[in-house]
Amino acid sequence: VALPGLNSLRVFSVCFSGVWGGEFSILRSPQSVAFRDGSWPIPGERIPDVAALTMGFSVEEDLPWPGLGVGDLFHRPRATVLVTVKGVDKLPVKGFSYPIENAVPFSLDSVANAIHTLFSEETPVVLQLAPSEERVYMVGKANSVFEDLSVTLRQLRNRLFQDNSILSSLPLNSLSRNNEVDLLFLSELQVLRDIASLLSRHKHLAKDHSPDLYSLELSGLEEVGKRYGEDSQQFKDASQILVDSLQKFADEMFNLYGGNAVVEVVAVKEFNSALSRKTRSILQSSQAEKENPYNLAYPYNYDYSVIFNIILWMMIGLALAVIVISYNLWNMDPGYDSIIYRMTNQKIRMD
């Protein structure tokens, strides 16, 4: 016998799990960036906007999220580090954590483009890397700083068996160095250590005025869960090793930038949909006409307030200048000779 209450509960739980998935955590942040402690959900597609706002860049749409307060506008962080961990809903890391609403794939390309546009004459470091998928994007000084960084699967495997790798210092517990899945997971941790190590050799880049961006995607833990199961001891050990490595990586990057960097972690078990372009249906125009029969204009964009203030205060300044000049000309003494007139008078010059 089917119970109606039980069926509704199942439907509700399915809908709830489809909306809420993943966690957005702030491991380290400077005092100039004000994150608030709470459980406010952050939409997955707005995570790049959070990164942009913390760096002092503008966004196209307002972000009505209480988790980010108004910080110091004149002291912005010199770096933003965002690490995306796939295969787990949350990680027991230290810092502020917020649930993710509608965990969809996102990209920090808009933030990288803003850095290129505003700091084109300087040398910002932009690094976007997904080791397991062999995706890498380096711009600026990142090409010279991280030229020795392992980016292919073969390079990652060879890096692990070198003398100064994490295999010689990291407790593997139930993980094995003879399993390809375990080596993939450990190689991603090796990349984190190498990034901090290579940046420490070029500390001057962390002290310049151009902001830097690091976007890393780790999927090794997801592969461990698929290989052994999420209830296995290997998955539990890998999760703990990852948490310790992320916390150490956050502290190292935070210290390299003199305490002026934001380190964020996005933990998501599975994205709801693939990253794709938005398409427009042929029937969309007729639907829009029904919703907007009066053909009203679209709301103004985010540049309107800036342009309005520039024009307003310029007109006020010009109006005040015209008033002051007109008042002085109207009240000028016609019998008063200026120093220029008196010095050019021929009679005074002859005397």
Side-chain angles (χ1 to χ4, degrees):
V1 178
L3 298 178
L6 183 60
N7 293 334
S8 61
L9 180 62
R10 290 177 180 175
V11 173
F12 176 77
S13 63
V14 170
C15 296
F16 186 83
S17 62
V19 175
W20 308 98
E23 192 175 57
F24 177 61
S25 303
I26 311 298
L27 272 63
R28 300 299 296 267
S29 64
Q31 296 181 355
S32 59
V33 180
F35 284 102
R36 299 169 180 170
D37 189 8
S39 299
W40 303 289
I42 175 70
E45 66 273 9
R46 302 305 302 273
I47 292 178
D49 292 340
V50 175
L53 291 174
T54 55
M55 301 185 74
F57 301 141
S58 59
V59 295
E60 296 184 0
E61 299 180 5
D62 293 336
L63 180 64
W65 183 55
L68 180 62
V70 179
D72 191 350
L73 299 178
F74 301 99
H75 297 85
R76 309 311 300 171
R78 290 200 297 263
T80 294
V81 183
L82 177 61
V83 182
T84 302
V85 179
K86 300 171 61 177
V88 63
D89 285 333
K90 60 176 60 179
L91 291 172
V93 294
K94 299 179 181 179
F96 300 128
S97 297
Y98 311 94
I100 297 178
E101 178 184 2
N102 189 20
V104 296
F106 60 88
S107 173
L108 296 184
D109 292 342
S110 59
V111 183
N113 294 333
I115 294 177
H116 298 332
T117 303
L118 299 176
F119 301 91
S120 58
E121 298 180 358
E122 301 184 28
T123 57
V125 176
V126 177
L127 174 63
Q128 294 177 293
L129 179 63
S132 61
E133 299 179 5
E134 297 185 346
R135 289 191 291 107
V136 59
Y137 177 72
M138 301 183 187
V139 175
K141 283 295 182 179
N143 291 321
S144 58
V145 175
F146 303 109
E147 60 180 357
D148 297 332
L149 191 65
S150 302
V151 293
T152 64
L153 295 177
R154 178 176 296 181
Q155 292 175 349
L156 293 171
R157 180 182 176 85
N158 295 335
R159 178 67 182 89
L160 280 177
F161 292 96
Q162 295 180 2
D163 296 335
N164 56 347
S165 69
I166 61 175
L167 292 180
S168 59
S169 59
L170 192 67
L172 301 182
N173 297 332
S174 60
L175 300 179
S176 173
R177 63 177 63 194
N178 298 323
N179 190 288
E180 293 295 334
V181 175
D182 298 354
L183 292 178
L184 175 63
F185 168 75
L186 295 173
S187 63
E188 294 181 341
L189 305 184
Q190 183 66 55
V191 171
L192 297 180
R193 177 176 294 186
D194 289 343
I195 290 176
S197 177
L198 292 173
L199 186 61
S200 63
R201 303 175 189 175
H202 304 81
K203 294 183 179 180
H204 62 281
L205 295 177
K207 299 179 181 179
D208 56 8
H209 299 287
S210 59
D212 301 334
L213 177 65
Y214 302 86
S215 177
L216 310 173
E217 182 177 326
L218 309 180
S219 58
L221 184 63
E222 181 182 20
E223 298 299 328
V224 173
K226 293 179 179 179
R227 174 66 175 81
Y228 300 104
E230 297 182 1
D231 296 332
S232 63
Q233 187 62 37
Q234 289 86 348
F235 185 81
K236 295 179 182 179
D237 293 340
S239 300
Q240 185 60 44
I241 293 174
L242 178 61
V243 170
D244 297 339
S245 300
L246 287 175
Q247 199 69 54
K248 183 178 179 181
F249 175 70
D251 296 339
E252 291 177 350
M253 297 295 290
F254 187 77
N255 295 330
L256 285 173
Y257 282 92
N260 197 12
V262 178
V263 183
E264 305 164 339
V265 173
V266 173
V268 56
K269 186 174 182 180
E270 184 179 3
F271 287 113
N272 293 341
S273 60
L275 184 61
S276 60
R277 296 180 180 269
K278 293 183 178 180
T279 59
R280 185 176 185 270
S281 175
I282 299 177
L283 301 178
Q284 185 175 354
S285 58
S286 60
Q287 181 68 23
E289 292 177 357
K290 294 180 181 179
E291 296 177 357
N292 189 11
Y294 301 104
N295 194 23
L296 299 178
Y298 293 102
Y300 60 84
N301 58 10
Y302 70 101
D303 289 331
Y304 176 81
S305 59
V306 178
I307 299 174
F308 176 80
N309 278 274
I310 292 176
I311 297 176
L312 173 64
W313 293 109
M314 184 179 295
M315 296 301 296
I316 292 176
L318 291 176
L320 292 176
V322 171
I323 293 174
V324 172
I325 295 173
S326 301
Y327 177 82
N328 285 277
L329 289 175
W330 184 266
N331 295 279
M332 181 181 293
D333 186 5
Y336 176 76
D337 295 336
S338 64
I339 184 64
I340 299 177
Y341 177 77
R342 285 187 283 112
M343 292 302 295
T344 57
N345 194 338
Q346 188 69 21
K347 183 180 178 180
I348 298 178
R349 187 177 297 173
M350 292 177 61
D351 294 341

